[in-house]
Structures are given as C-alpha cells and as structure tokens.
Short mmCIF file of all heavy atoms in Angstrom, two decimals:
data_model
loop_
_atom_site.label_atom_id
_atom_site.label_comp_id
_atom_site.label_asym_id
_atom_site.label_seq_id
_atom_site.Cartn_x
_atom_site.Cartn_y
_atom_site.Cartn_z
N MET A 29 26.45 14.21 -0.96
CA MET A 29 26.20 12.77 -1.11
C MET A 29 25.03 12.35 -0.22
O MET A 29 24.97 12.71 0.94
CB MET A 29 27.45 11.97 -0.70
CG MET A 29 28.62 12.15 -1.64
SD MET A 29 28.35 11.34 -3.23
CE MET A 29 28.56 9.62 -2.74
N GLU A 30 24.16 11.58 -0.76
CA GLU A 30 23.06 11.07 0.04
C GLU A 30 23.46 9.76 0.70
O GLU A 30 24.18 8.97 0.13
CB GLU A 30 21.84 10.82 -0.85
CG GLU A 30 21.24 12.10 -1.39
CD GLU A 30 19.92 11.82 -2.11
OE1 GLU A 30 19.32 10.78 -1.83
OE2 GLU A 30 19.54 12.64 -2.94
N ASN A 31 22.97 9.59 1.89
CA ASN A 31 23.21 8.32 2.57
C ASN A 31 22.32 7.25 1.95
O ASN A 31 21.11 7.40 1.87
CB ASN A 31 22.90 8.44 4.06
CG ASN A 31 23.91 9.30 4.76
OD1 ASN A 31 25.07 9.37 4.35
ND2 ASN A 31 23.49 9.97 5.81
N MET A 32 22.96 6.18 1.53
CA MET A 32 22.17 5.05 1.05
C MET A 32 21.54 4.35 2.25
O MET A 32 22.16 4.22 3.30
CB MET A 32 23.07 4.06 0.31
CG MET A 32 23.60 4.59 -1.00
SD MET A 32 22.28 4.92 -2.19
CE MET A 32 21.72 3.24 -2.51
N ILE A 33 20.33 3.92 2.08
CA ILE A 33 19.65 3.20 3.15
C ILE A 33 19.79 1.71 2.90
O ILE A 33 19.40 1.21 1.86
CB ILE A 33 18.16 3.61 3.22
CG1 ILE A 33 18.06 5.08 3.61
CG2 ILE A 33 17.42 2.72 4.22
CD1 ILE A 33 16.66 5.61 3.64
N GLU A 34 20.39 1.04 3.86
CA GLU A 34 20.54 -0.40 3.73
C GLU A 34 19.58 -1.11 4.66
O GLU A 34 19.49 -0.78 5.84
CB GLU A 34 21.98 -0.80 4.07
CG GLU A 34 22.97 -0.27 3.06
CD GLU A 34 24.36 -0.84 3.29
OE1 GLU A 34 24.46 -1.86 3.99
OE2 GLU A 34 25.31 -0.24 2.79
N LEU A 35 18.88 -2.06 4.12
CA LEU A 35 17.90 -2.81 4.91
C LEU A 35 18.38 -4.24 5.10
O LEU A 35 18.79 -4.90 4.14
CB LEU A 35 16.55 -2.82 4.21
CG LEU A 35 15.84 -1.47 4.08
CD1 LEU A 35 14.58 -1.64 3.25
CD2 LEU A 35 15.50 -0.90 5.44
N GLU A 36 18.32 -4.69 6.34
CA GLU A 36 18.61 -6.09 6.62
C GLU A 36 17.44 -6.94 6.14
O GLU A 36 16.38 -6.43 5.79
CB GLU A 36 18.78 -6.30 8.14
CG GLU A 36 19.82 -5.42 8.78
CD GLU A 36 21.24 -5.86 8.45
OE1 GLU A 36 21.41 -7.01 8.02
OE2 GLU A 36 22.17 -5.06 8.63
N ASP A 37 17.64 -8.27 6.18
CA ASP A 37 16.53 -9.16 5.89
C ASP A 37 15.46 -9.03 6.97
O ASP A 37 15.74 -8.59 8.08
CB ASP A 37 17.01 -10.62 5.86
CG ASP A 37 17.97 -10.87 4.71
OD1 ASP A 37 17.93 -10.10 3.74
OD2 ASP A 37 18.75 -11.82 4.81
N CYS A 38 14.26 -9.45 6.65
CA CYS A 38 13.16 -9.42 7.61
C CYS A 38 13.54 -10.20 8.88
O CYS A 38 13.99 -11.34 8.79
CB CYS A 38 11.91 -10.04 6.97
SG CYS A 38 10.53 -10.22 8.11
N PRO A 39 13.37 -9.60 10.05
CA PRO A 39 13.71 -10.29 11.29
C PRO A 39 12.76 -11.46 11.60
O PRO A 39 13.06 -12.30 12.44
CB PRO A 39 13.61 -9.21 12.36
CG PRO A 39 12.72 -8.17 11.77
CD PRO A 39 12.92 -8.23 10.28
N VAL A 40 11.63 -11.49 10.92
CA VAL A 40 10.65 -12.56 11.17
C VAL A 40 10.87 -13.73 10.22
O VAL A 40 10.95 -14.88 10.63
CB VAL A 40 9.21 -12.01 11.02
CG1 VAL A 40 8.19 -13.13 11.23
CG2 VAL A 40 8.98 -10.87 12.01
N CYS A 41 11.00 -13.44 8.92
CA CYS A 41 11.03 -14.53 7.94
C CYS A 41 12.22 -14.48 6.99
O CYS A 41 12.34 -15.31 6.10
CB CYS A 41 9.74 -14.53 7.12
SG CYS A 41 9.68 -13.22 5.88
N ARG A 42 13.08 -13.48 7.16
CA ARG A 42 14.26 -13.34 6.28
C ARG A 42 13.90 -12.95 4.86
O ARG A 42 14.69 -13.13 3.93
CB ARG A 42 15.12 -14.62 6.27
CG ARG A 42 15.66 -14.98 7.63
CD ARG A 42 16.67 -13.97 8.11
NE ARG A 42 16.73 -13.93 9.57
CZ ARG A 42 17.27 -12.93 10.27
NH1 ARG A 42 17.77 -11.88 9.64
NH2 ARG A 42 17.30 -12.93 11.55
N GLY A 43 12.70 -12.41 4.67
CA GLY A 43 12.32 -11.89 3.36
C GLY A 43 12.95 -10.52 3.14
O GLY A 43 13.70 -10.01 3.97
N ASN A 44 12.63 -9.93 2.00
CA ASN A 44 13.16 -8.62 1.67
C ASN A 44 12.31 -7.51 2.27
O ASN A 44 11.10 -7.50 2.11
CB ASN A 44 13.20 -8.41 0.15
CG ASN A 44 14.27 -9.25 -0.51
OD1 ASN A 44 15.32 -9.51 0.09
ND2 ASN A 44 14.02 -9.67 -1.73
N GLY A 45 12.96 -6.58 2.93
CA GLY A 45 12.26 -5.40 3.42
C GLY A 45 12.20 -4.34 2.34
O GLY A 45 13.14 -4.16 1.57
N ILE A 46 11.07 -3.66 2.24
CA ILE A 46 10.92 -2.59 1.27
C ILE A 46 10.43 -1.33 1.97
O ILE A 46 9.61 -1.40 2.88
CB ILE A 46 9.94 -2.97 0.13
CG1 ILE A 46 8.63 -3.53 0.69
CG2 ILE A 46 10.58 -3.96 -0.82
CD1 ILE A 46 7.58 -3.78 -0.36
N ILE A 47 10.94 -0.21 1.53
CA ILE A 47 10.49 1.06 2.08
C ILE A 47 9.19 1.45 1.38
O ILE A 47 9.11 1.49 0.16
CB ILE A 47 11.56 2.15 1.89
CG1 ILE A 47 12.74 1.83 2.82
CG2 ILE A 47 10.98 3.53 2.19
CD1 ILE A 47 13.80 2.90 2.85
N SER A 48 8.16 1.66 2.18
CA SER A 48 6.83 1.89 1.64
C SER A 48 6.28 3.23 2.11
O SER A 48 6.10 3.47 3.30
CB SER A 48 5.92 0.74 2.12
OG SER A 48 4.57 1.00 1.82
N HIS A 49 6.04 4.12 1.15
CA HIS A 49 5.45 5.42 1.48
C HIS A 49 3.94 5.36 1.31
O HIS A 49 3.44 4.69 0.40
CB HIS A 49 6.01 6.50 0.54
CG HIS A 49 7.45 6.81 0.80
ND1 HIS A 49 7.86 7.76 1.70
CD2 HIS A 49 8.57 6.25 0.30
CE1 HIS A 49 9.18 7.78 1.74
NE2 HIS A 49 9.65 6.89 0.89
N GLU A 50 3.25 6.04 2.18
CA GLU A 50 1.80 6.06 2.08
C GLU A 50 1.28 7.48 2.16
O GLU A 50 1.62 8.23 3.08
CB GLU A 50 1.18 5.21 3.18
CG GLU A 50 -0.33 5.14 3.08
CD GLU A 50 -0.90 3.99 3.89
OE1 GLU A 50 -0.50 2.84 3.64
OE2 GLU A 50 -1.73 4.25 4.76
N GLY A 51 0.50 7.86 1.17
CA GLY A 51 -0.15 9.16 1.21
C GLY A 51 0.78 10.35 1.01
O GLY A 51 0.35 11.49 1.09
N GLY A 52 2.06 10.07 0.74
CA GLY A 52 3.01 11.15 0.55
C GLY A 52 3.39 11.88 1.83
O GLY A 52 4.01 12.94 1.78
N TRP A 53 3.05 11.29 2.97
CA TRP A 53 3.41 11.95 4.22
C TRP A 53 3.83 11.01 5.33
O TRP A 53 4.16 11.44 6.42
CB TRP A 53 2.28 12.85 4.71
CG TRP A 53 0.98 12.11 4.92
CD1 TRP A 53 0.05 11.80 3.96
CD2 TRP A 53 0.49 11.55 6.14
NE1 TRP A 53 -0.97 11.10 4.53
CE2 TRP A 53 -0.74 10.93 5.86
CE3 TRP A 53 0.98 11.52 7.45
CZ2 TRP A 53 -1.49 10.29 6.84
CZ3 TRP A 53 0.23 10.87 8.43
CH2 TRP A 53 -0.99 10.27 8.12
N ASN A 54 3.84 9.72 5.06
CA ASN A 54 4.45 8.83 6.05
C ASN A 54 5.09 7.63 5.38
O ASN A 54 4.84 7.33 4.21
CB ASN A 54 3.47 8.45 7.16
CG ASN A 54 2.30 7.65 6.66
OD1 ASN A 54 2.36 6.98 5.64
ND2 ASN A 54 1.21 7.71 7.40
N VAL A 55 5.94 6.96 6.12
CA VAL A 55 6.76 5.89 5.55
C VAL A 55 6.94 4.78 6.58
O VAL A 55 6.98 5.03 7.79
CB VAL A 55 8.12 6.44 5.07
CG1 VAL A 55 8.94 7.01 6.23
CG2 VAL A 55 8.92 5.39 4.32
N GLN A 56 7.05 3.57 6.10
CA GLN A 56 7.36 2.43 6.96
C GLN A 56 8.22 1.47 6.14
O GLN A 56 8.34 1.61 4.92
CB GLN A 56 6.09 1.71 7.41
CG GLN A 56 5.34 1.06 6.30
CD GLN A 56 4.20 0.15 6.72
OE1 GLN A 56 3.60 -0.49 5.87
NE2 GLN A 56 3.88 0.08 8.01
N VAL A 57 8.83 0.51 6.81
CA VAL A 57 9.46 -0.60 6.11
C VAL A 57 8.55 -1.80 6.28
O VAL A 57 8.07 -2.09 7.39
CB VAL A 57 10.86 -0.93 6.66
CG1 VAL A 57 11.46 -2.11 5.89
CG2 VAL A 57 11.77 0.28 6.56
N GLU A 58 8.31 -2.46 5.17
CA GLU A 58 7.40 -3.60 5.19
C GLU A 58 8.09 -4.79 4.54
O GLU A 58 8.86 -4.64 3.61
CB GLU A 58 6.13 -3.23 4.40
CG GLU A 58 5.07 -4.28 4.40
CD GLU A 58 3.81 -3.80 3.68
OE1 GLU A 58 3.93 -2.93 2.79
OE2 GLU A 58 2.73 -4.27 4.01
N CYS A 59 7.76 -5.98 5.05
CA CYS A 59 8.33 -7.20 4.47
C CYS A 59 7.52 -7.62 3.26
O CYS A 59 6.29 -7.71 3.33
CB CYS A 59 8.34 -8.31 5.50
SG CYS A 59 8.89 -9.89 4.82
N ALA A 60 8.21 -7.89 2.15
CA ALA A 60 7.52 -8.30 0.94
C ALA A 60 6.97 -9.72 1.05
O ALA A 60 6.08 -10.12 0.30
CB ALA A 60 8.46 -8.21 -0.26
N MET A 61 7.52 -10.49 2.01
CA MET A 61 7.13 -11.89 2.14
C MET A 61 5.99 -12.09 3.14
O MET A 61 4.98 -12.70 2.83
CB MET A 61 8.34 -12.73 2.58
CG MET A 61 9.47 -12.77 1.56
SD MET A 61 9.07 -13.80 0.13
CE MET A 61 9.11 -15.41 0.91
N CYS A 62 6.19 -11.60 4.35
CA CYS A 62 5.22 -11.94 5.42
C CYS A 62 4.37 -10.74 5.85
O CYS A 62 3.43 -10.91 6.62
CB CYS A 62 5.95 -12.53 6.62
SG CYS A 62 6.88 -11.33 7.59
N GLY A 63 4.69 -9.56 5.38
CA GLY A 63 3.86 -8.40 5.70
C GLY A 63 4.14 -7.76 7.05
O GLY A 63 3.46 -6.82 7.43
N SER A 64 5.13 -8.26 7.77
CA SER A 64 5.51 -7.59 9.01
C SER A 64 6.03 -6.20 8.66
O SER A 64 6.55 -5.98 7.57
CB SER A 64 6.60 -8.39 9.73
OG SER A 64 6.08 -9.62 10.14
N HIS A 65 5.88 -5.28 9.59
CA HIS A 65 6.23 -3.90 9.25
C HIS A 65 6.63 -3.12 10.49
O HIS A 65 6.28 -3.49 11.61
CB HIS A 65 5.04 -3.21 8.56
CG HIS A 65 3.80 -3.21 9.40
ND1 HIS A 65 3.49 -2.19 10.26
CD2 HIS A 65 2.82 -4.13 9.53
CE1 HIS A 65 2.35 -2.48 10.87
NE2 HIS A 65 1.92 -3.66 10.45
N THR A 66 7.31 -2.02 10.24
CA THR A 66 7.64 -1.10 11.34
C THR A 66 6.47 -0.15 11.55
O THR A 66 5.49 -0.18 10.78
CB THR A 66 8.88 -0.25 10.99
OG1 THR A 66 8.55 0.61 9.91
CG2 THR A 66 10.07 -1.11 10.62
N VAL A 67 6.58 0.68 12.56
CA VAL A 67 5.60 1.76 12.71
C VAL A 67 5.79 2.73 11.54
O VAL A 67 6.82 2.75 10.89
CB VAL A 67 5.80 2.52 14.04
CG1 VAL A 67 5.52 1.61 15.22
CG2 VAL A 67 7.19 3.11 14.14
N TYR A 68 4.76 3.54 11.31
CA TYR A 68 4.89 4.62 10.34
C TYR A 68 5.58 5.81 10.99
O TYR A 68 5.37 6.10 12.16
CB TYR A 68 3.51 5.09 9.88
CG TYR A 68 2.96 4.31 8.72
CD1 TYR A 68 1.91 3.41 8.89
CD2 TYR A 68 3.47 4.51 7.43
CE1 TYR A 68 1.38 2.71 7.81
CE2 TYR A 68 2.96 3.81 6.36
CZ TYR A 68 1.92 2.91 6.55
OH TYR A 68 1.41 2.21 5.50
N VAL A 69 6.40 6.49 10.20
CA VAL A 69 6.98 7.75 10.64
C VAL A 69 6.52 8.83 9.67
O VAL A 69 6.62 8.67 8.45
CB VAL A 69 8.52 7.67 10.69
CG1 VAL A 69 9.11 9.03 11.02
CG2 VAL A 69 8.96 6.64 11.72
N GLU A 70 6.00 9.90 10.23
CA GLU A 70 5.47 10.98 9.39
C GLU A 70 6.56 11.97 8.99
O GLU A 70 7.55 12.13 9.69
CB GLU A 70 4.38 11.73 10.16
CG GLU A 70 3.19 10.86 10.48
CD GLU A 70 2.12 11.62 11.26
OE1 GLU A 70 2.20 12.86 11.32
OE2 GLU A 70 1.21 10.95 11.78
N TYR A 71 6.34 12.63 7.87
CA TYR A 71 7.26 13.68 7.43
C TYR A 71 6.47 14.75 6.70
O TYR A 71 5.37 14.50 6.21
CB TYR A 71 8.37 13.11 6.54
CG TYR A 71 7.88 12.34 5.34
CD1 TYR A 71 7.57 12.99 4.15
CD2 TYR A 71 7.73 10.96 5.40
CE1 TYR A 71 7.12 12.27 3.04
CE2 TYR A 71 7.29 10.23 4.31
CZ TYR A 71 6.99 10.90 3.13
OH TYR A 71 6.55 10.19 2.05
N GLU A 72 7.06 15.94 6.66
CA GLU A 72 6.35 17.07 6.04
C GLU A 72 7.07 17.68 4.87
O GLU A 72 6.51 18.49 4.14
CB GLU A 72 6.11 18.16 7.10
CG GLU A 72 5.11 17.71 8.16
CD GLU A 72 4.78 18.82 9.14
OE1 GLU A 72 5.45 19.87 9.09
OE2 GLU A 72 3.85 18.64 9.93
N ASN A 73 8.34 17.32 4.69
CA ASN A 73 9.08 17.87 3.55
C ASN A 73 10.20 16.89 3.15
O ASN A 73 10.37 15.85 3.78
CB ASN A 73 9.65 19.25 3.89
CG ASN A 73 10.50 19.22 5.16
OD1 ASN A 73 11.35 18.33 5.32
ND2 ASN A 73 10.25 20.16 6.06
N GLU A 74 10.93 17.24 2.11
CA GLU A 74 11.93 16.32 1.56
C GLU A 74 13.01 15.96 2.58
O GLU A 74 13.48 14.83 2.63
CB GLU A 74 12.57 16.92 0.31
CG GLU A 74 11.67 16.85 -0.92
CD GLU A 74 11.30 15.41 -1.29
OE1 GLU A 74 12.20 14.56 -1.37
OE2 GLU A 74 10.10 15.14 -1.48
N GLU A 75 13.41 16.94 3.37
CA GLU A 75 14.46 16.66 4.34
C GLU A 75 13.96 15.72 5.44
O GLU A 75 14.64 14.77 5.81
CB GLU A 75 14.94 17.98 4.95
CG GLU A 75 16.19 17.79 5.80
CD GLU A 75 16.87 19.12 6.06
OE1 GLU A 75 16.68 20.07 5.29
OE2 GLU A 75 17.61 19.19 7.07
N GLU A 76 12.76 16.02 5.92
CA GLU A 76 12.18 15.13 6.94
C GLU A 76 11.92 13.74 6.37
O GLU A 76 11.99 12.74 7.09
CB GLU A 76 10.86 15.72 7.46
CG GLU A 76 11.06 16.90 8.38
CD GLU A 76 9.75 17.36 9.00
OE1 GLU A 76 8.74 16.62 8.94
OE2 GLU A 76 9.73 18.47 9.53
N LYS A 77 11.63 13.70 5.08
CA LYS A 77 11.38 12.41 4.43
C LYS A 77 12.61 11.51 4.52
O LYS A 77 12.51 10.34 4.85
CB LYS A 77 11.00 12.66 2.97
CG LYS A 77 10.66 11.44 2.17
CD LYS A 77 10.24 11.87 0.77
CE LYS A 77 10.06 10.68 -0.15
NZ LYS A 77 9.68 11.12 -1.50
N LYS A 78 13.77 12.08 4.23
CA LYS A 78 15.01 11.31 4.32
C LYS A 78 15.25 10.82 5.74
O LYS A 78 15.62 9.67 5.97
CB LYS A 78 16.21 12.16 3.88
CG LYS A 78 16.31 12.36 2.39
CD LYS A 78 17.74 12.76 2.03
CE LYS A 78 17.85 13.16 0.56
NZ LYS A 78 17.27 14.49 0.34
N THR A 79 15.05 11.72 6.70
CA THR A 79 15.24 11.36 8.10
C THR A 79 14.27 10.26 8.50
O THR A 79 14.64 9.31 9.20
CB THR A 79 15.02 12.60 8.99
OG1 THR A 79 15.88 13.64 8.54
CG2 THR A 79 15.34 12.28 10.44
N ALA A 80 13.03 10.38 8.04
CA ALA A 80 12.01 9.38 8.37
C ALA A 80 12.37 8.03 7.78
O ALA A 80 12.23 6.99 8.44
CB ALA A 80 10.65 9.84 7.85
N GLU A 81 12.88 8.02 6.55
CA GLU A 81 13.28 6.76 5.91
C GLU A 81 14.41 6.10 6.71
O GLU A 81 14.40 4.89 6.92
CB GLU A 81 13.75 7.01 4.48
CG GLU A 81 12.61 7.30 3.52
CD GLU A 81 13.10 7.61 2.12
OE1 GLU A 81 14.30 7.91 1.96
OE2 GLU A 81 12.26 7.57 1.19
N GLN A 82 15.36 6.92 7.14
CA GLN A 82 16.48 6.36 7.90
C GLN A 82 16.01 5.83 9.25
O GLN A 82 16.49 4.82 9.74
CB GLN A 82 17.56 7.42 8.08
CG GLN A 82 18.30 7.68 6.78
CD GLN A 82 19.17 8.92 6.82
OE1 GLN A 82 19.25 9.59 7.84
NE2 GLN A 82 19.81 9.22 5.71
N LYS A 83 15.03 6.51 9.82
CA LYS A 83 14.51 6.09 11.12
C LYS A 83 13.80 4.74 11.03
O LYS A 83 14.06 3.84 11.84
CB LYS A 83 13.55 7.16 11.64
CG LYS A 83 13.13 6.97 13.08
CD LYS A 83 12.40 8.22 13.56
CE LYS A 83 11.90 8.05 14.98
NZ LYS A 83 11.22 9.29 15.45
N VAL A 84 12.94 4.58 10.03
CA VAL A 84 12.24 3.30 9.92
C VAL A 84 13.21 2.19 9.51
O VAL A 84 13.06 1.04 9.93
CB VAL A 84 11.03 3.35 8.96
CG1 VAL A 84 9.92 4.23 9.54
CG2 VAL A 84 11.41 3.79 7.56
N ALA A 85 14.22 2.54 8.70
CA ALA A 85 15.23 1.55 8.33
C ALA A 85 15.99 1.07 9.56
O ALA A 85 16.27 -0.11 9.72
CB ALA A 85 16.20 2.13 7.31
N ARG A 86 16.29 2.01 10.47
CA ARG A 86 17.01 1.63 11.69
C ARG A 86 16.14 0.73 12.55
O ARG A 86 16.60 -0.28 13.08
CB ARG A 86 17.41 2.89 12.45
CG ARG A 86 18.36 2.62 13.60
CD ARG A 86 18.85 3.91 14.23
NE ARG A 86 19.50 4.78 13.28
CZ ARG A 86 19.17 6.04 13.05
NH1 ARG A 86 18.20 6.60 13.74
NH2 ARG A 86 19.81 6.75 12.16
N LEU A 87 14.87 1.07 12.69
CA LEU A 87 13.94 0.23 13.47
C LEU A 87 13.88 -1.17 12.89
O LEU A 87 13.94 -2.18 13.60
CB LEU A 87 12.54 0.86 13.47
CG LEU A 87 12.36 2.14 14.29
CD1 LEU A 87 10.99 2.72 14.03
CD2 LEU A 87 12.55 1.87 15.77
N TRP A 88 13.78 -1.22 11.58
CA TRP A 88 13.72 -2.50 10.87
C TRP A 88 14.98 -3.32 11.14
O TRP A 88 14.92 -4.51 11.48
CB TRP A 88 13.57 -2.23 9.38
CG TRP A 88 13.61 -3.46 8.52
CD1 TRP A 88 14.71 -3.96 7.87
CD2 TRP A 88 12.53 -4.33 8.20
NE1 TRP A 88 14.37 -5.09 7.19
CE2 TRP A 88 13.04 -5.33 7.37
CE3 TRP A 88 11.17 -4.35 8.55
CZ2 TRP A 88 12.23 -6.37 6.87
CZ3 TRP A 88 10.37 -5.38 8.05
CH2 TRP A 88 10.90 -6.37 7.22
N ASN A 89 16.12 -2.67 10.99
CA ASN A 89 17.39 -3.37 11.16
C ASN A 89 17.61 -3.83 12.60
O ASN A 89 18.35 -4.78 12.84
CB ASN A 89 18.54 -2.48 10.70
CG ASN A 89 18.53 -2.28 9.18
OD1 ASN A 89 17.88 -3.03 8.46
ND2 ASN A 89 19.23 -1.27 8.72
N LEU A 90 16.96 -3.17 13.55
CA LEU A 90 17.04 -3.57 14.94
C LEU A 90 16.02 -4.65 15.28
O LEU A 90 15.97 -5.16 16.38
CB LEU A 90 16.80 -2.36 15.86
CG LEU A 90 17.94 -1.33 15.90
CD1 LEU A 90 17.48 -0.09 16.66
CD2 LEU A 90 19.17 -1.91 16.55
N GLY A 91 15.16 -4.97 14.32
CA GLY A 91 14.16 -6.01 14.55
C GLY A 91 12.91 -5.50 15.25
O GLY A 91 12.11 -6.28 15.75
N LYS A 92 12.76 -4.19 15.31
CA LYS A 92 11.59 -3.61 15.96
C LYS A 92 10.44 -3.53 14.95
O LYS A 92 10.14 -2.48 14.40
CB LYS A 92 11.92 -2.24 16.54
CG LYS A 92 12.95 -2.32 17.65
CD LYS A 92 13.13 -0.99 18.33
CE LYS A 92 14.24 -1.04 19.38
NZ LYS A 92 13.98 -2.06 20.42
N VAL A 93 9.83 -4.67 14.72
CA VAL A 93 8.76 -4.74 13.74
C VAL A 93 7.50 -5.29 14.38
O VAL A 93 7.54 -5.96 15.41
CB VAL A 93 9.14 -5.63 12.52
CG1 VAL A 93 10.39 -5.08 11.84
CG2 VAL A 93 9.33 -7.07 12.95
N ILE A 94 6.39 -5.00 13.72
CA ILE A 94 5.09 -5.54 14.14
C ILE A 94 4.81 -6.73 13.24
O ILE A 94 4.74 -6.59 12.02
CB ILE A 94 4.00 -4.46 13.99
CG1 ILE A 94 4.34 -3.26 14.88
CG2 ILE A 94 2.64 -5.03 14.34
CD1 ILE A 94 3.70 -1.96 14.41
N LYS A 95 4.68 -7.88 13.84
CA LYS A 95 4.45 -9.09 13.05
C LYS A 95 3.05 -9.07 12.43
O LYS A 95 2.09 -8.71 13.10
CB LYS A 95 4.56 -10.33 13.93
CG LYS A 95 5.97 -10.72 14.26
CD LYS A 95 5.96 -12.07 14.96
CE LYS A 95 7.33 -12.39 15.53
NZ LYS A 95 7.31 -13.71 16.20
N ALA A 96 2.99 -9.50 11.19
CA ALA A 96 1.68 -9.69 10.57
C ALA A 96 1.00 -10.84 11.28
O ALA A 96 1.61 -11.86 11.53
CB ALA A 96 1.84 -9.96 9.08
N SER A 97 -0.27 -10.67 11.62
CA SER A 97 -0.93 -11.69 12.43
C SER A 97 -1.76 -12.67 11.60
O SER A 97 -2.31 -13.62 12.12
CB SER A 97 -1.84 -11.01 13.45
OG SER A 97 -2.76 -10.18 12.81
N ALA A 98 -1.82 -12.44 10.29
CA ALA A 98 -2.64 -13.29 9.45
C ALA A 98 -2.21 -14.75 9.54
O ALA A 98 -1.03 -15.06 9.46
CB ALA A 98 -2.55 -12.82 7.99
N GLY A 99 -3.18 -15.61 9.72
CA GLY A 99 -2.91 -17.04 9.70
C GLY A 99 -2.40 -17.61 11.00
O GLY A 99 -2.05 -18.78 11.05
N GLU A 100 -2.36 -16.82 12.04
CA GLU A 100 -1.83 -17.37 13.30
C GLU A 100 -2.95 -17.72 14.28
O GLU A 100 -4.00 -17.16 14.24
CB GLU A 100 -0.91 -16.36 13.96
CG GLU A 100 0.42 -16.31 13.23
CD GLU A 100 1.43 -15.48 14.03
OE1 GLU A 100 1.41 -15.52 15.27
OE2 GLU A 100 2.22 -14.79 13.41
ZN1 ZN B 201 9.00 -11.20 6.70
#
C-alpha cells in the first residue's frame, strides 16, 4: 500500500497546495493561489521520489514555506 500524501491548506492564504515536480528530479509543494512554496527536494529514483514528496508535504503542513514576494 502506498502512503497517500495529504496536504493542508496554504499556511499563508489558505489556498490549495499542489505537489510540483520540476525536471524529473526535484519536487516542491506550491500554493495554487499565492505561489508560496517549500524548498525543493531532489530525488534520483522512484523510491527517493516518494520520500521526497512526503518530505515536502511535511514541510508544507508544518508551515515551513517561502512566501511569494510579488506585490509586497
Ligand atoms: Zn497560498
């Protein structure tokens, strides 16, 4: 059984967080509303990919995000 990844609402604006992969080797959680995001976590294979997704999801759920600075 795979662990489902649950994402809380955005800690900044309460928008929806989405898991975003870039380049096929790193992943972050990004807010669809305000663009705040976690750090990227790199991975090299399918197993590390799952771990990386869970790691960024945990950071997101803890509110450890980088606020989008646009418009401030
Ligand atoms: Zn947001």
